[in-house]
Amino acid sequence: MKILGISGSLRKASWNTAALRAVPALLPDGNEFSIAEIGDLPLINQDLEVDGKYPDPVQRLRSAIMAADALLFATPEYNASIPAPLKNAIDWASRPANCFAGKPVAILGVAGGLLGTARAQYPLRQTLGVLSVQMLFQPEVFIGGAGQKFDERGRLTDETTRDFLGKMLATFVTFAERVRTG
Ligand SMILES: Cc1cc2nc3c(=O)[nH]c(=O)nc-3n(C[C@H](O)[C@H](O)[C@H](O)COP(=O)(O)O)c2cc1C
């Protein structure tokens, strides 16, 4: 199964992107994982859609999403909602033909505080629901206290979190396979 990771943070030292980088070592064998680039997308603007074509970075993201069997979002919370770069990427990929239709999706989030990312994850679920994804609702993954769970090089070092994430990924792969085979 080909899984595409999409981070809601453009920061080089992002904890959310760091969590996605930890995924390949925690995924069940036989699955592929890559991370999408969303930092170079223009702001959503229908004037940039010309004769049914999209700007190159948009087309690249759309192709990556369409080629993926499943999508894994990792997002921070910005002002109690979805970070603008992530919403922008989703809006571009939602344009005809909606790249998300029927895709198995899971969401996780990492924050320095204890509650962080819940207030981004719920609106994200709502938006993706409108786009007809197949959402893995449980387990919810709120990784708080990130300062104690990642080292200075962004490696996820906390064993409890690695174990939890590994189990969640196994659940997600099983879920995505079930969705794919109907
Ligand atoms: C514009 C902006 C708004 C933010 N709003 C919130 C917020 O509402 N709640 C919160 O817990 N953190 C908030 N933060 C802090 C981020 O969650 C924090 O920087 C986090 O580390 C970002 O994730 P990252 O490490 O993946 O970049 C905000 C940060 C920015 C830049």
Side-chain angles (χ1 to χ4, degrees):
M1 163 139 346
K2 271 175 145 171
I3 303 174
L4 183 69
I6 303 179
S7 173
S9 174
L10 304 184
R11 278 192 331 123
K12 283 200 185 74
S14 160
W15 282 321
N16 284 280
T17 309
L20 291 181
R21 285 201 205 99
V23 164
L26 302 173
L27 259 185
D29 288 345
N31 297 289
E32 286 174 41
F33 185 75
S34 58
I35 300 177
E37 171 64 55
I38 64 165
D40 59 351
L41 301 178
L43 289 177
I44 184 78
N45 179 348
Q46 286 176 265
D47 290 346
L48 302 180
E49 303 176 17
V50 181
D51 299 330
K53 288 199 158 176
Y54 298 97
D56 288 347
V58 173
Q59 192 49 56
R60 189 206 59 229
L61 175 71
R62 290 174 58 86
S63 300
I65 291 174
M66 281 194 259
D69 298 308
L71 306 173
L72 176 62
F73 288 87
T75 187
E77 169 180 306
Y78 281 3
N79 296 315
S81 195
I82 306 169
L86 180 58
K87 184 63 164 54
N88 186 53
I90 292 169
D91 287 341
W92 272 124
S94 75
R95 298 294 297 151
N98 168 20
C99 301
F100 294 107
K103 294 275 177 201
V105 165
I107 301 174
L108 61 90
V110 190
L114 290 182
L115 278 186
T117 89
R119 294 180 301 172
Q121 290 195 37
Y122 292 126
L124 180 57
R125 283 182 184 206
Q126 188 181 6
T127 291
L128 291 169
V130 169
L131 299 174
S132 305
V133 303
Q134 296 286 325
M135 179 69 68
L136 179 74
F137 286 105
Q138 296 289 342
E140 295 183 294
V141 186
F142 305 121
I143 304 174
Q148 281 77 55
K149 294 177 179 161
F150 291 81
D151 69 12
E152 67 290 343
R153 291 173 62 190
R155 288 174 302 204
L156 178 60
T157 48
D158 183 71
E159 280 306 323
T160 308
T161 306
R162 291 183 72 84
D163 189 50
F164 180 71
L165 201 50
K167 287 184 177 138
M168 177 267 195
L169 290 168
T171 303
F172 182 42
V173 167
T174 304
F175 169 80
E177 274 163 359
R178 211 181 314 131
V179 169
R180 209 167 50 151
T181 56

